[in-house]
Amino acid sequence: MRQNTFIRLLIILALLAISAYIVLPTPKPDFVKNLVFWQEPRGRDLQIKQGLDLKGGLQVLLASDLPGGAQPIPEQMESARRIIEDRVNGLGVAEPIIQQQGDDRILVELPGVTDRNLAIDLIKQTGQLEFVDAGFTPPLDGTPISTTYSLYGGLLFPETLPTGKPISETLNAQAATKVYNTAFTGEILQSATPGLDTLGRNVVNFTIKPQFQEAFRRYTSEKLNQAMCIVLDQRVLSCPTIRAVLSADGSISGNFTREGANNLALVLSYGSLPVPLTIETTRDVGATLGADSIRRSLVAGAIALIAMIAFMVVRYRLPGLLSAVTLVFFMLTSLALFVLVPVTLTLPGIAGFLLSVAAAVDANVLIFERFREELRGGRTMRAAVEAAFQRAWTSIRDANISTLITCAILFVFGNTFGASAVRGFAITLALGIFVSLFSAMFVTRTLMRLTFSEQAETIEARRAVLLGV
């Protein structure tokens, strides 16, 4: 038993040290950041993230812009919302809000965005990618061109797209400007990632979906030493010459900056918008509650913590002092979890966290009351500790399960109706409940075993002073 207790103590100290390191607002080395592999690579800064109400950010209202003022169908707007959400997530923005407003608008809120132009460009970009046959006289990079796909959906390989149509020379001849034949659209792409070529230039590497590889191989074999222009939204990105037969993968080169390559990879990865969107309004949102609210919340939290510790010490004496140690463990571990998950702290999220502190104290109160009752019943110190945890567990478990059920309902509600504040409150409260359970049943138990087993005789001699019993 004694050896197990010391092992448990070592585990607690290790968790405490790791949590303190994670919570410290200092830059972490890359190898540490890469340990949180489940987070989006761009967002792996291992810092506590703040929401729009605390940190400020960018708010963009997008409106559909269909020809002739036509109204989009609900499925198109929902698809556009999901694609924008994927693009924003790819930016590494924490806790963004992307929700539909009315029948033809989408509201985007991006907390903590510093490069507003970059974000706006990425959100509104239609992202229609085409691979265009340019023969031996390709247009210059950046040139706007007309393509068969943009005019009437014409493709050299129409079987690669459900809505694709064969190339029509008649329709091409009717156009006012030169029309380039589109071989494929971006639908044939399986993935796209930014990278560097052998000369260290930024490129976008792509892979072709297996079902289209034969068509892509056939095209590149027929057009060897000719240019295949890569066109995004009817503007030439680059026109590399086909030097080899390609089937499964390739790369898009151009005068890309690193950010440009990243953005293009995001657009290609997450698809094109089914509805043209225009920006109706943009607004830089200041920290509506911001620094003052954070300061007030921290002061309120500190006062509440001191008050709770004072109450526990005055009421329960030595066990109350142990609960103070447990509370420090609880708070550090909870904050570390918020960083690792990650959870973006908004004011409702902070409220959920502070509420979970109260739950952690409640569990200790139940344990200490049972401990006193066992001592009054004539049990020894060690036996009273074990009996207190055993008999208090049922009440602690049931109380926390009911809170977790409430959290689940709030989370579903917030997720369904886009109420991110409600969802944030539910997440921080639920995480706090799990940590409080661990703190009470593992940390407090270990500390009490150590204290009341090793110093039983000394404490027994001063029982009235140290325990109030």
Side-chain angles (χ1 to χ4, degrees):
M1 171 70 80
R2 184 177 178 183
Q3 185 180 5
N4 288 339
T5 304
F6 277 106
I7 292 174
R8 291 161 68 104
L9 182 62
L10 289 177
I11 293 173
I12 292 169
L13 292 175
L15 288 175
L16 200 58
I18 293 171
S19 299
Y21 174 71
I22 292 172
V23 171
L24 278 176
T26 55
K28 310 293 190 300
D30 287 342
F31 79 92
V32 175
K33 294 177 184 176
N34 290 333
L35 292 177
V36 287
F37 57 87
W38 54 89
Q39 292 187 16
E40 170 64 34
R42 299 181 186 198
R44 292 177 191 167
D45 56 359
L46 286 181
Q47 303 294 327
I48 293 178
K49 295 178 174 55
Q50 299 173 12
L52 196 68
D53 57 348
L54 299 180
K55 195 174 184 179
L58 178 67
Q59 186 184 72
V60 183
L61 182 61
L62 301 163
S64 71
D65 187 26
L66 288 171
Q71 285 294 309
I73 60 175
E75 290 76 12
Q76 286 178 313
M77 291 303 292
E78 174 58 21
S79 177
R81 189 198 64 77
R82 281 191 284 102
I83 290 171
I84 291 174
E85 188 173 58
D86 287 340
R87 291 181 183 180
V88 170
N89 289 335
L91 277 175
V93 177
E95 202 75 7
I97 296 175
I98 298 98
Q99 57 189 17
Q100 189 173 337
Q101 286 202 337
D103 296 330
D104 58 355
R105 285 174 172 75
I106 295 175
L107 177 68
V108 182
E109 291 185 349
L110 308 174
V113 166
T114 54
D115 193 338
R116 64 193 305 276
N117 293 329
L118 178 70
I120 291 171
D121 288 345
L122 183 63
I123 291 170
K124 72 177 184 179
Q125 198 166 41
T126 306
Q128 184 58 64
L129 182 80
E130 299 173 58
F131 295 92
V132 172
D133 177 18
F136 294 99
T137 55
L140 297 174
D141 293 357
T143 305
I145 63 172
S146 294
T147 64
T148 53
Y149 182 74
S150 64
L151 289 178
Y152 56 88
L155 292 171
L156 290 174
F157 294 83
E159 68 274 16
T160 59
L161 195 68
T163 57
K165 298 174 182 175
I167 298 293
S168 168
E169 295 299 335
T170 304
L171 291 175
N172 286 359
Q174 293 174 355
T177 58
K178 181 177 179 180
V179 178
Y180 290 85
N181 291 335
T182 303
F184 309 98
T185 67
E187 294 298 320
I188 67 169
L189 294 180
Q190 186 170 53
S191 65
T193 55
L196 298 174
D197 63 11
T198 55
L199 300 177
R201 295 174 301 192
N202 292 295
V203 297
V204 177
N205 299 314
F206 63 85
T207 58
I208 305 294
K209 293 176 183 175
Q211 64 269 34
F212 303 132
Q213 289 178 4
E214 173 55 26
F216 196 66
R217 187 202 63 76
R218 201 147 40 92
Y219 174 74
T220 54
S221 64
E222 293 172 357
K223 302 291 182 178
L224 268 177
N225 298 319
Q226 297 185 37
M228 180 181 70
C229 287
I230 298 163
V231 178
L232 184 67
D233 292 341
Q234 299 180 55
R235 188 173 292 275
V236 175
L237 286 179
S238 67
C239 292
T241 301
I242 302 172
R243 301 293 185 190
V245 177
L246 304 173
S247 61
D249 52 31
S251 64
I252 303 172
S253 58
N255 296 320
F256 297 128
T257 61
R258 182 178 178 184
E259 291 74 18
N262 287 342
N263 289 341
L264 177 57
L266 283 175
V267 172
L268 299 183
S269 297
Y270 299 125
S272 57
L273 293 175
V275 181
L277 296 172
T278 59
I279 294 178
E280 191 163 278
T281 60
T282 60
R283 190 160 64 96
D284 291 310
V285 180
T288 54
L289 301 169
D292 186 54
S293 288
I294 294 175
R295 184 183 61 78
R296 288 171 183 265
S297 300
L298 289 175
V299 170
I303 292 173
L305 184 63
I306 292 171
M308 282 189 288
I309 290 175
F311 169 77
M312 295 296 285
V313 172
V314 171
R315 171 71 178 165
Y316 299 104
R317 317 288 173 86
L318 183 55
L321 205 57
L322 298 179
S323 74
V325 178
T326 304
L327 272 181
V328 172
F329 175 89
F330 164 81
M331 297 189 78
L332 280 177
T333 309
S334 297
L335 291 174
L337 267 182
F338 294 165
V339 173
L340 294 175
V341 168
V343 174
T344 299
L345 280 183
T346 59
L347 206 58
I350 292 175
F353 172 59
L354 294 179
L355 195 58
S356 66
V357 176
V361 174
D362 282 347
N364 284 327
V365 167
L366 287 171
I367 293 166
F368 295 158
E369 287 295 335
R370 291 301 310 181
F371 178 60
R372 282 183 162 188
E373 289 179 11
E374 298 299 330
L375 287 177
R376 292 192 187 101
R379 287 184 182 269
T380 63
M381 292 282 179
R382 184 170 176 175
V385 169
E386 298 304 323
F389 279 95
Q390 188 176 3
R391 295 182 177 179
W393 164 242
T394 307
S395 301
I396 295 172
R397 181 198 61 195
D398 292 348
N400 284 299
I401 285 178
S402 63
T403 306
L404 287 172
I405 291 172
T406 304
C407 290
I409 294 170
L410 289 174
F411 180 82
V412 172
F413 173 83
N415 218 32
T416 303
F417 296 101
S420 61
V422 176
R423 186 175 57 186
F425 174 84
I427 291 174
T428 55
L429 180 57
L431 287 176
I433 293 297
F434 283 118
V435 177
S436 75
L437 276 172
F438 179 80
S439 299
M441 302 310 295
F442 190 86
V443 180
T444 305
R445 192 173 202 163
T446 302
L447 295 178
M448 288 191 70
R449 277 179 177 172
L450 276 173
T451 304
F452 295 104
S453 297
E454 300 296 323
Q455 304 295 330
E457 292 182 0
T458 304
I459 295 172
E460 186 64 42
R462 305 177 63 185
R463 179 167 156 171
V465 175
L466 295 177
L467 302 178
V469 179

